[in-house]
Every structure is written in structure tokens, then in C-alpha cells.
Amino acid sequence: MKRLLNIVVGLILCCTAWATQNDSIQSPRISLITCHAGSVMYELCGHTAIRVQINGEDIAVNYGLFEFQTKNFALKFLKGETDYRVGAYPFYHFLEHYTRENRRIVEQELNLTPQQAWNLVTLLQINLLPENCVYRYNYVKNNCATKPIDLIEQVVNDTIAFNEPNIEGAETWTYRDEMRHFHQNYYWYQFGIDLALGSGIDYTLSTREKMFAPEALESMMRGATITDSLGNKIPIVKAETVIHEGTPAQLPPTPYFITPNFIFSLIFVLALMLSVKDIKKKTITRWVDSVIYGIYAMASLFICFLIFISVNEATSPNFFILLFSPLCFIPAICVWINKCNKIVSYFHIINIVALILLLIVLLSGIQVGNIAVLPLILISLTRSATNIYLTRCVVKKIK
């Protein structure tokens, strides 16, 4: 961090020199750099940076700096209180890092007037000041791709006209759709995202909103135009160069037998077989309900945290609270207490109603679910229906 801060301070001084000498030296050459996906989860959408070249200086300005070692980083990330940093350092260091990972690197030189280029340098200088270099990160609305575009739009007076990404299906993307496109083969990761993020990301995006993913932004920049002082439409990208070809870093497809959908479907089949056995024997196997609803109850703590404590607007409302409800603690614990049989019975009635409501929400498209959620819903429905049948329609015999 000390080295980084020294580099930042050096760039601030350098930019100050540029700004005071801009009448006597050449105009800055400014490019948007896109690094394609890596194999780590937070690298799946790629990465964007700004390259500034002037009078022999070659600087990368990077809005994607963060520290895993930050105290309570994971908790802050879940709460939506993650702070990222903009930093600047020699471009060859930036290039070395991503070429070492063998990721495709594309440079798009911006078609800016000298004054626009200097204005952008000034904005970068301001952003790099110690009091401004930290910003509140948002996965889809304030990240390494949106920050540079916000600055570019400022210097061209918000005249950028973007086309849709040249990706199949992009015209009707929601945030969830776009994430799924870039998370292909990462089934467990996407399953977690689909559970954690609520209905607030399930609307059709504007063209501008789709550029939160760096690779989508790269595609959209190719056809983007700006309006010059004479009212003419000109391309925002002057030239495009592949700096490093690289190779795709996506994992191979996950074998079906270890995907969440297959595993949860298998568990559903086992739960159904146990329920049939319970009905035949006119008994309720308590440990099964205790384990199933205990897991659902623990998951509810995570969902409740995201809904009621996290400040990330994408996590609420989340209708999966109807499946993973804190009420699941009732059967998980009270199934062992005979005096609580009536309370448990009431829970199962309420649970069936809640699950039917959830199915209506998912089928109507109010919130989009992951296919792997269906067997989880069926597991809970099956156990609740079994309990209601045995406790209300058959003479009870609890073992």
C-alpha cells in the first residue's frame, strides 16, 4: 500500500505538471483497457482500466483496487459497504499482471479532442487525491467499468450514444441475465447469487445499464458515437488494438452430477421416499425434519441479513424468504417436543401457503429463480404435506 500511495502521489504531481503545461506539450493519448475474464469468481466479467500516455509517460488508472485483508471484508461486502480504491501506476506493471494470467487484453483509444483529453486528465487527477481515491463499490452501478465511463461522459457532455452489446440475447437482458451470461459453468456461484439477490435486479435494462460488465462495455464502445461541436456523430473509439491475445479462462462445464440442480433433485427423491415410508408406517421420522428445516432455518439467517441489514438495494425484496424462513426453526427444534405438536402442525400449514405464494411469484416473473431452487421447494412441500396428512388425517405415532 505504501508503494501504491507513493505511485498515486507521483501521478498526482505528474498530472499537475501536465495540466499546467498543456499549452506547450502534446495532447494526452487516452485509452480504455479491457481485460477479459479470469478464472476467479470476481474476475468473470473482466476488468476495465484507463491508460494515459503523454510525453513518454505511460500510466494505468485502475478503479478496481481492493484489499481482502481489510478487517471484516466479507461482512462489509455482504452489507454493501465495500470500499474500493482508484490507483495509478506504470502501465507495464498493469500489463505484466494480466499477461501473466494470460487474459485477453484489448485497448480502445478514445477519439477525444485535446481539450477533452486534458479535462479527463484533470478529473483523474481529482479522483486520485487522497480524500477522493476511495469510493463505495456497487457490483452493478459503481465499479471499475462504470467509473471510467462516468468520467468520459462528463468530458464529452454526456453525448455518448451506445449500441447494444454484440452478444446474443443482450437486447432483453436483466441484471440477472447478464450475470448468468458471464458466469457460465460456475453453477454454484450463480446459484448463490440467485438466492442472495432479490427481485430488484429482474427488470429489462437500459442500454446504459448493461455496461457494468467490462466485456459488455468493450463491445458497446465499438459502435458508440459522440456528437462533436458541429453536431456530427463521430465514433468514440479512434482505434482498437489487441495488446495480448490470451486464452479464455472460463472453467470447463461442471459435470451434471455435481451441479446444485442434480444434488438437490437427488435429495428431493430421498425425501420423497422417506415421506412415502412415513405414510406407510404412519409415523413421522423426526430427525429428517430436524435436519431439513434446520438447514433451511440457518439459510434464513443469511437471507434475513441481506434483506434487513445489508444496504445493497439489489438484495431486497427477496421472496426466497418464503422458502428459507426463520419459522423453519419451529419444526427443526419443536419436532422433538411433544407439547409443541400443535405449533409444528400450524407451521406446516403456513409453510405450504408460503411455498405456493413463492411458486406464483416465480412463475409470474416477479422474481426470477434458479432452477435448482425447485427441488428445494418440493422437499419442503413434501415434508409439510406428509406432516399434515399424518397429524390431521391419520392416528399419530411419533417415533
Side-chain angles (χ1 to χ4, degrees):
M1 285 302 298
K2 288 182 180 179
R3 288 199 303 272
L4 175 61
L5 289 176
N6 287 337
I7 293 170
V8 170
V9 171
L11 182 67
I12 292 172
L13 296 176
C14 184
C15 286
T16 302
W18 293 347
T20 57
Q21 300 176 35
N22 61 16
D23 290 332
S24 59
I25 60 178
Q26 66 184 50
S27 173
R29 178 179 182 268
I30 299 177
S31 304
L32 205 64
I33 304 295
T34 303
C35 304
H36 283 224
S39 58
V40 182
M41 288 186 295
Y42 59 82
E43 298 174 340
L44 297 182
C45 293
H47 181 56
T48 300
I50 296 177
R51 183 182 188 182
V52 180
Q53 297 171 276
I54 183 170
N55 278 14
E57 298 288 343
D58 194 354
I59 301 295
V61 182
N62 186 352
Y63 282 86
L65 303 177
F66 63 95
E67 290 288 336
F68 274 129
Q69 291 77 18
T70 302
K71 187 177 180 180
N72 299 321
F73 178 86
L75 179 61
K76 290 179 179 179
F77 186 85
L78 291 174
K79 288 181 67 178
E81 297 177 351
T82 309
D83 288 332
Y84 273 43
R85 178 185 298 272
V86 56
Y89 46 94
F91 183 72
Y92 69 85
H93 283 314
F94 177 90
L95 190 60
E96 180 183 44
H97 173 78
Y98 289 99
T99 53
R100 187 170 60 246
E101 295 182 351
N102 203 24
R103 291 164 66 174
R104 179 180 172 86
I105 304 171
V106 178
E107 178 178 19
Q108 294 173 310
E109 183 182 353
L110 301 182
N111 194 11
L112 303 177
T113 66
Q115 186 59 57
Q116 289 171 338
W118 282 115
N119 290 344
L120 184 54
V121 167
T122 301
L123 290 176
L124 292 172
Q125 175 187 358
I126 293 171
N127 275 200
L128 286 163
L129 291 171
E131 62 267 28
N132 298 330
C133 65
V134 176
Y135 71 97
R136 180 54 51 86
Y137 173 83
N138 182 294
Y139 182 68
V140 296
K141 295 186 177 180
N142 204 33
N143 62 20
C144 69
T146 65
K147 296 292 283 188
I149 289 300
D150 289 342
L151 297 181
I152 295 168
E153 285 183 326
Q154 286 185 53
V155 301
V156 298
N157 298 318
D158 296 325
T159 60
I160 303 179
F162 290 99
N163 292 326
E164 292 287 337
N166 187 23
I167 301 172
E168 185 178 356
E171 297 81 5
T172 58
W173 267 353
T174 64
Y175 278 126
R176 200 184 304 271
D177 292 333
E178 188 165 356
M179 292 176 196
R180 286 177 174 176
H181 173 80
F182 290 105
H183 299 166
Q184 294 178 41
N185 302 335
Y186 291 74
Y187 295 100
W188 285 99
Y189 180 52
Q190 186 58 46
F191 173 74
I193 287 178
D194 285 338
L195 282 188
L197 301 184
S199 59
I201 65 169
D202 292 321
Y203 65 90
T204 302
L205 300 178
S206 67
T207 303
R208 178 65 173 77
E209 288 173 313
K210 294 171 186 175
M211 63 181 62
F212 81 89
E215 288 192 36
L217 172 59
E218 177 199 318
S219 175
M220 296 169 71
M221 287 291 286
R222 291 193 183 101
T225 60
I226 54 177
T227 304
D228 64 15
S229 58
L230 300 177
N232 299 314
K233 296 284 186 180
I234 60 174
I236 183 63
V237 174
K238 180 188 296 185
E240 179 172 315
T241 306
V242 177
I243 299 177
H244 182 72
E245 190 62 47
T247 56
Q250 283 264 327
L251 291 176
T254 303
Y256 184 70
F257 60 87
I258 58 174
T259 61
N261 187 39
F262 179 83
I263 291 175
F264 297 150
S265 296
L266 181 60
I267 295 173
F268 165 63
V269 171
L270 294 175
L272 183 61
M273 292 172 62
L274 283 168
S275 293
V276 171
K277 179 182 177 182
D278 283 352
I279 291 172
K280 287 182 177 180
K281 293 189 173 183
K282 299 180 181 179
T283 65
I284 296 174
T285 308
R286 292 186 288 188
W287 70 265
V288 173
D289 287 351
S290 190
V291 170
I292 290 174
Y293 288 109
I295 293 173
Y296 282 32
M298 296 303 295
S300 76
L301 299 180
F302 175 68
I303 300 295
C304 287
F305 176 87
L306 294 175
I307 293 175
F308 301 110
I309 298 179
S310 175
V311 296
N312 190 332
E313 68 274 13
T315 61
S316 183
N318 188 341
F319 290 95
F320 284 123
I321 192 67
L322 295 171
L323 173 62
F324 301 111
S325 166
L327 293 178
C328 290
F329 279 109
I330 293 174
I333 297 171
C334 294
V335 72
W336 299 100
I337 305 171
N338 290 335
K339 291 183 179 180
C340 296
N341 287 345
K342 187 172 290 188
I343 296 176
V344 174
S345 180
Y346 287 146
F347 162 81
H348 287 298
I349 295 173
I350 294 172
N351 189 48
I352 287 180
V353 173
L355 294 176
I356 292 173
L357 288 175
L358 176 58
L359 287 172
I360 293 173
V361 166
L362 296 177
L363 292 173
S364 64
I366 296 173
Q367 180 169 328
V368 176
N370 191 293
I371 187 63
V373 172
L374 180 59
L376 295 177
I377 294 173
L378 295 176
I379 290 169
S380 188
L381 269 175
T382 299
R383 291 309 297 172
S384 283
T386 300
N387 273 267
I388 291 173
Y389 175 73
L390 291 175
T391 57
R392 292 183 173 269
C393 303
V394 179
V395 177
K396 294 182 291 183
K397 180 184 175 185
I398 310 299
K399 69 177 181 180

